[in-house]
Amino acid sequence: MALSSRAHAFSVEALVGRPSKRKLRDPREEAQPELLEKDGGEEEERRSSAAAGRKSKLTEKRTKTGPLATTFGFNSFGSLEEKDIIQVELQGSELWKSFHDIGTEMIITKAGRRMFPSVRVKVKGLDPGKQYYVAIDVVPVDSKRYRYIYHSSQWMIAGNTDHSCITPRVYIHPDSPCSGETWMRQIISFDRVKLTNNEMDDKGHIILQSMHKYKPRVHVMKQDSRVDLSRIQSLPAEGVKTFSFKETEFTTVTAYQNQQITKLKIDRNPFAKGFRDPGRNRWKQQLIPSDL
Amino acid sequence: MALSSRAHAFSVEALVGRPSKRKLRDPREEAQPELLEKDGGEEEERRSSAAAGRKSKLTEKRTKTGPLATTFGFNSFGSLEEKDIIQVELQGSELWKSFHDIGTEMIITKAGRRMFPSVRVKVKGLDPGKQYYVAIDVVPVDSKRYRYIYHSSQWMIAGNTDHSCITPRVYIHPDSPCSGETWMRQIISFDRVKLTNNEMDDKGHIILQSMHKYKPRVHVMKQDSRVDLSRIQSLPAEGVKTFSFKETEFTTVTAYQNQQITKLKIDRNPFAKGFRDPGRNRWKQQLIPSDL
DNA sequence: CAATTTCCACCTAGGTGTGAAACT
DNA sequence: AGTTTCACACCTAGGTGGAAATTG
């Protein structure tokens, strides 16, 4: 155990990984209505795998690969076909849950930092012959600023923030636009999205504030020949289906707070392989000039 | 001088780099009509910088950044506006010319190999508000098979090949579709295109035959909502403007034939830096077990 | 024997967390 | 004291030509 000195003071409870506190906070959040969906009237259906029993008629076809989010076809597209029941299924939800159970943290930097895990989804119910855009954005979960308390390994509310005047940036999936057939045939990965705390960012990265809670949202929209969706910065008012998943919520940080998160990231992110234990601090020894 | 042993037998003439022979062959090729443009009736205007004197009315606005190719608006798009005079300008033409003067070779492999130099262009005369696709393909320059003669450092005709039944694969620029405004604002680079000699290739690479002469072509097409251009394998019959540049012609090889080409590639391609002279064959000495 | 394939050392390009320094 | 930034060693991912092996 030779991880970051930043999270040096952690409780035994945090290391054992008892998920009780976190589980207790969830029901309250699930019950509260969507506060942030005023900008278009699109319906958002969130379904964690724990709530997978509802709407069995729609979930009959579910494979056991992961949680599923569904939006009913209330015809903002103008089409009445049964196929209008678009479903979006999160891939890699087990990994997301591993982080979520601890309290997911995502690093944000000036230059932009990828998410790990990244959002990857499968889409069903599209019209194979029609063209769609698929996009992602990240919206605040609440209006609170958080602070991590080391000795209790807990996130505490540390203040309020007004997000209401900020329109979140949208990252259009690079394959867009693309036929429904093609979208449905592949796993749609947003692994190249980058998060930044630089409000002046000009590289199209998603701008967030550190020490706040956010959730990614996936958007599916039929191609509209009237607007060039490929260059927009904000979502159109209608014709957009929006999906999100409880287990992808995270807190933004500029340096990891909870050492369990650091450990899990190092363990699962291929790019952090150099920090895995077995062969670690071997290079440190080479820096000591003792062979002379 | 410790380059490839393959091109060991080279003439002094080749090393000095006298361009006379090549220059002599060019006029014949320029005079011959396009043989391979039967598939759509699109007009192709080729203009090397050596022929830049013609059509001065159109080239007045030319900057001195490179050669320019122009297609007149004869309304396959149905529009009559003056803006229909689309111009495509090759970027990095000095580098291309350095290779062309020697006799450009491009390696092709089963897995696919990038081109160096890569095709990079600037486009002018698009309708800023309309959507366009930009694409590249590579077509045969003639029906000959070539062989490199080491002792005279020359390419000789070695036989005939019938290309007529092969429709070339098209590589759609990944930014497609995109507004004319955006296309014109940036340099359009095809550096990710890969060439292969694998006729069964399923990765969308451009399939070529080794030891043949080819030229890349750049295509500009207005978006047609009737067809999903993003997934096509061959060009539509109409509404396509096609451009090519004499200095981007090349001969396909599976291993470099002319040592001057090898030298120039190593010198200019960042990925071949490891073969540049100063620090070379230092690692070879480490492999000799002589320190015991 | 010419042409092609394969494996390799050496690069570019860029995604990790670290730990010290800087900021506020 | 909490938070942010920076240079850095260490990775992944993949683009080079060399040289030996293989192909036809």
Side-chain angles (χ1 to χ4, degrees):
Chain A
M1 271 292 186
L3 295 173
S4 169
S5 63
R6 201 166 313 282
H8 229 84
F10 52 88
S11 70
V12 175
E13 178 184 290
L15 276 179
V16 173
R18 203 176 69 181
S20 54
K21 284 201 197 82
R22 178 150 291 276
K23 282 273 170 62
L24 284 173
R25 199 165 61 242
D26 284 346
R28 183 177 54 80
E29 288 186 11
E30 282 219 330
Q32 83 186 31
E34 286 295 338
L35 299 170
L36 301 140
E37 307 299 338
K38 302 170 181 140
D39 52 3
E42 75 275 20
E43 178 160 314
E44 184 175 348
E45 179 73 28
R46 298 184 302 159
R47 171 175 299 180
S48 73
S49 56
R54 301 175 292 168
K55 285 159 191 156
S56 56
K57 195 176 170 187
L58 283 167
T59 52
E60 277 172 357
K61 295 182 284 184
R62 257 190 81 210
T63 62
K64 47 185 168 183
T65 51
L68 200 63
T70 303
T71 291
F72 289 90
F74 58 101
N75 298 322
S76 47
F77 289 165
S79 162
L80 277 163
E81 35 182 278
E82 192 73 44
K83 277 294 190 56
D84 213 2
I85 304 169
I86 298 177
Q87 301 180 341
V88 172
E89 182 188 282
L90 180 67
Q91 304 295 293
S93 62
E94 316 75 17
L95 183 57
W96 274 106
K97 273 175 211 142
S98 306
F99 281 96
H100 184 65
D101 288 345
I102 304 168
T104 311
E105 299 175 21
M106 292 289 176
I107 288 195
I108 57 180
T109 67
K110 227 170 84 177
R113 196 77 152 192
R114 288 188 179 178
M115 292 173 61
F116 187 87
S118 56
V119 174
R120 286 155 55 244
V121 296
K122 263 189 184 167
V123 184
K124 295 174 182 175
L126 301 180
D127 185 335
K130 290 221 163 58
Q131 297 290 113
Y132 295 88
Y133 281 78
V134 179
I136 193 173
D137 66 3
V138 177
V139 293
V141 166
D142 55 34
S143 300
K144 303 298 180 187
R145 178 183 177 80
Y146 289 83
R147 168 172 300 174
Y148 189 74
I149 311 299
Y150 290 97
H151 73 267
S152 62
S153 300
Q154 257 188 324
W155 286 97
M156 302 286 282
I157 292 170
N160 288 301
T161 306
D162 182 23
H163 292 111
S164 63
C165 55
I166 307 165
T167 307
R169 276 200 184 164
V170 176
Y171 173 90
I172 311 261
H173 191 284
D175 289 2
S176 303
C178 191
S179 68
E181 183 190 359
T182 309
W183 283 124
M184 291 189 289
R185 209 166 39 211
Q186 67 194 4
I187 288 175
I188 304 168
S189 175
F190 290 97
D191 55 349
R192 279 155 121 125
V193 187
K194 285 188 176 178
L195 312 181
T196 183
N197 57 349
N198 180 11
E199 296 173 24
M200 303 305 180
D201 176 82
D202 60 350
K203 284 170 288 193
H205 300 154
I206 289 178
I207 301 170
L208 303 177
Q209 290 183 38
S210 187
M211 298 295 166
H212 288 259
K213 280 200 202 298
Y214 291 93
K215 66 170 179 185
R217 300 189 305 180
V218 174
H219 308 279
V220 181
M221 27 198 168
K222 214 175 266 186
Q223 176 151 35
D224 184 342
S225 54
R226 292 165 299 178
V227 286
D228 181 8
L229 285 169
S230 60
R231 302 296 152 189
I232 59 168
Q233 292 282 43
S234 62
L235 286 173
E238 51 181 64
V240 182
K241 306 288 190 186
T242 300
F243 308 88
S244 67
F245 304 90
K246 192 95 187 79
E247 58 266 52
T248 62
E249 283 185 11
F250 59 83
T251 305
T252 47
V253 295
T254 56
Y256 290 127
Q257 304 294 306
N258 185 339
Q259 191 177 352
Q260 293 175 92
I261 289 294
T262 311
K263 193 172 181 306
L264 198 49
K265 295 250 184 179
I266 288 172
D267 221 44
R268 307 299 293 270
N269 188 336
F271 288 110
K273 201 176 186 178
F275 298 101
R276 288 179 193 166
D277 255 310
R280 228 158 88 71
N281 63 11
R282 205 181 301 165
W283 59 272
K284 278 183 182 173
Q285 294 170 5
Q286 288 183 347
L287 289 181
I288 301 166
S290 56
D291 288 62
L292 306 178
Chain B
M1 270 293 184
L3 297 172
S4 169
S5 64
R6 200 165 315 281
H8 230 84
F10 53 86
S11 68
V12 175
E13 178 183 289
L15 275 179
V16 173
R18 203 176 70 181
S20 54
K21 285 202 196 77
R22 178 151 291 277
K23 283 273 170 64
L24 284 173
R25 199 167 61 244
D26 285 346
R28 184 177 54 79
E29 289 187 12
E30 283 218 329
Q32 83 185 30
E34 286 296 338
L35 300 170
L36 301 139
E37 309 298 340
K38 303 172 182 136
D39 54 1
E42 75 276 18
E43 180 160 312
E44 184 176 350
E45 179 73 29
R46 298 183 301 158
R47 170 176 298 180
S48 73
S49 56
R54 300 175 294 169
K55 283 158 193 155
S56 55
K57 196 173 166 187
L58 283 167
T59 52
E60 278 171 355
K61 293 183 286 186
R62 258 189 81 210
T63 63
K64 47 185 168 184
T65 52
L68 201 64
T70 305
T71 291
F72 289 91
F74 58 103
N75 299 321
S76 48
F77 288 167
S79 163
L80 277 164
E81 36 179 279
E82 192 73 43
K83 277 294 191 58
D84 215 1
I85 304 170
I86 298 176
Q87 300 179 343
V88 171
E89 182 188 283
L90 180 68
Q91 303 294 294
S93 60
E94 315 76 18
L95 184 57
W96 274 106
K97 273 175 211 143
S98 306
F99 282 97
H100 184 63
D101 288 345
I102 304 169
T104 312
E105 299 174 21
M106 292 289 176
I107 288 195
I108 57 178
T109 67
K110 227 169 85 176
R113 197 77 152 190
R114 287 189 180 178
M115 293 172 61
F116 187 87
S118 55
V119 175
R120 285 155 57 244
V121 296
K122 263 189 185 168
V123 185
K124 296 173 181 176
L126 302 179
D127 185 336
K130 290 220 161 59
Q131 296 290 112
Y132 295 87
Y133 281 78
V134 179
I136 193 173
D137 66 2
V138 177
V139 293
V141 166
D142 55 32
S143 301
K144 304 298 181 186
R145 179 183 176 79
Y146 289 84
R147 168 173 300 177
Y148 188 73
I149 310 300
Y150 289 98
H151 72 268
S152 61
S153 301
Q154 258 188 322
W155 286 96
M156 303 285 283
I157 292 171
N160 288 300
T161 306
D162 182 23
H163 292 111
S164 64
C165 55
I166 307 164
T167 306
R169 276 200 185 166
V170 176
Y171 173 90
I172 311 262
H173 191 285
D175 289 2
S176 302
C178 190
S179 69
E181 183 190 358
T182 308
W183 283 125
M184 292 190 287
R185 209 167 39 214
Q186 66 194 6
I187 288 174
I188 304 168
S189 174
F190 290 98
D191 56 348
R192 277 153 122 125
V193 186
K194 286 189 176 176
L195 312 181
T196 183
N197 57 349
N198 180 12
E199 296 173 24
M200 304 303 180
D201 175 83
D202 60 351
K203 282 169 288 191
H205 300 155
I206 288 179
I207 301 170
L208 304 176
Q209 289 183 38
S210 188
M211 300 294 166
H212 288 259
K213 278 198 201 302
Y214 291 93
K215 65 171 180 185
R217 299 187 309 179
V218 173
H219 307 280
V220 181
M221 29 197 167
K222 214 175 265 184
Q223 176 150 36
D224 184 344
S225 54
R226 292 167 299 180
V227 286
D228 181 6
L229 285 169
S230 60
R231 301 296 152 191
I232 60 169
Q233 292 283 44
S234 61
L235 286 173
E238 53 181 65
V240 183
K241 307 287 190 186
T242 300
F243 307 88
S244 67
F245 304 89
K246 191 92 187 80
E247 59 266 51
T248 62
E249 283 186 14
F250 59 82
T251 306
T252 47
V253 296
T254 55
Y256 290 127
Q257 304 294 307
N258 185 340
Q259 191 178 352
Q260 293 175 91
I261 290 295
T262 312
K263 193 173 181 305
L264 198 50
K265 296 251 185 179
I266 288 173
D267 221 44
R268 307 299 294 269
N269 189 336
F271 288 111
K273 201 177 187 178
F275 296 101
R276 289 179 194 166
D277 254 311
R280 230 159 86 70
N281 65 11
R282 205 181 302 166
W283 59 271
K284 278 183 182 173
Q285 292 170 5
Q286 288 183 346
L287 290 180
I288 301 167
S290 57
D291 288 63
L292 307 177

